[in-house]
Amino acid sequence: MDKINRCAWCGDDPLYVEYHDKEWGTPVYDDDTLFEFLILETFQAGLSWITVLRKRENFRRAFDHFNYKKIAKYGEDKVAELLSDPGIIRNKLKVRATISNAQAFMKVQEEFGSFSDYIWGFTEGKPITNSYKSLKEVPANTPLSDTISKDLKKRGFKFVGTTVIYAHMQATGMVNDHLTSCFRYKEV
């Protein structure tokens, strides 16, 4: 049987492989999914992505299926509930940032019509296709992720440093960082 060439970062963990093969790097234009990835990326800050991926369904349950309209209204009781939930990453600053990010997300929607129009406006609505041959070449951030990070912070978003934003860009297909040898490179 022929071995499929994938980006080496996903290894052979079935959850990671499925995420790599079906989601990572696929352009996302709907606000609900963009918000989900933004929240997951903020919780990932300082941790490994596989940690978040393994808890993704718990996050989905705990955060009302990433419904930003509900999350924006969370009060102290919900914060306490989330901080006692062992199924998610219980970081008080990240939980509170999720609430304020939901509020900022909706303000961006009001201003631009959708968060998608706003975020994809940085790339003129199209993915940036890179052509990296090894993982060593793939950057942790770029001047564009610096720009987006600064703009998001100016709009009140938290935990959106340039590395988090670049990871978000990769996950949502704003950049195609699949290695050129990966079978997904030409698919996305």
Side-chain angles (χ1 to χ4, degrees):
M1 181 159 78
D2 291 332
K3 183 180 182 317
I4 295 174
N5 283 326
R6 291 183 175 88
C7 299
W9 59 260
C10 69
D12 57 7
D13 181 298
L15 185 62
Y16 235 1
V17 169
E18 182 175 351
Y19 172 70
H20 170 274
D21 290 1
K22 296 184 178 169
E23 287 187 86
W24 192 76
T26 301
V28 173
Y29 293 95
D30 73 277
D31 279 8
D32 293 343
T33 307
L34 288 167
F35 182 75
E36 176 180 347
F37 274 108
L38 185 65
I39 296 315
L40 293 174
E41 295 293 350
T42 61
F43 273 94
Q44 186 263 329
L47 303 169
S48 69
W49 179 244
I50 192 66
T51 300
V52 174
L53 204 53
R54 286 186 179 127
K55 294 179 178 275
R56 187 178 191 179
E57 291 309 313
N58 295 332
F59 274 105
R60 182 172 279 120
R61 174 195 43 76
F63 283 96
D64 291 298
H65 299 274
F66 300 106
N67 181 329
Y68 47 86
K69 291 176 184 169
K70 284 185 178 180
I71 294 169
K73 296 177 184 174
Y74 284 179
E76 290 306 311
D77 288 348
K78 183 64 176 185
V79 170
E81 177 187 320
L82 291 165
L83 292 175
S84 67
D85 187 336
I88 66 168
I89 295 161
R90 296 176 288 180
N91 178 301
K92 187 185 294 188
L93 294 175
K94 291 178 181 181
V95 167
R96 291 192 184 283
T98 299
I99 298 166
S100 62
N101 286 353
Q103 295 162 352
F105 189 87
M106 291 191 302
K107 287 179 185 168
V108 167
Q109 287 179 316
E110 288 172 22
E111 183 178 346
F112 291 88
S114 72
F115 186 81
S116 180
D117 287 347
Y118 161 75
I119 200 83
W120 280 95
F122 287 98
T123 65
E124 299 177 3
K126 298 176 293 219
I128 296 167
T129 301
N130 293 312
S131 54
Y132 301 123
K133 291 177 178 42
S134 78
L135 289 178
K136 292 176 187 170
E137 295 176 65
V138 181
N141 55 28
T142 63
L144 180 56
S145 68
D146 295 347
T147 299
I148 296 171
S149 171
K150 285 178 190 164
D151 197 68
L152 285 167
K153 287 176 183 177
K154 184 178 76 178
R155 295 174 184 282
F157 287 82
K158 296 178 174 73
F159 281 94
V160 289
T162 186
T163 302
V164 166
I165 293 307
Y166 195 69
H168 186 262
M169 293 169 68
Q170 291 173 311
T172 61
M174 290 179 69
V175 294
N176 179 358
D177 275 357
H178 283 282
L179 300 182
T180 54
S181 60
C182 177
F183 83 99
R184 291 283 288 155
Y185 180 75
K186 291 183 180 167
E187 289 185 358
V188 298

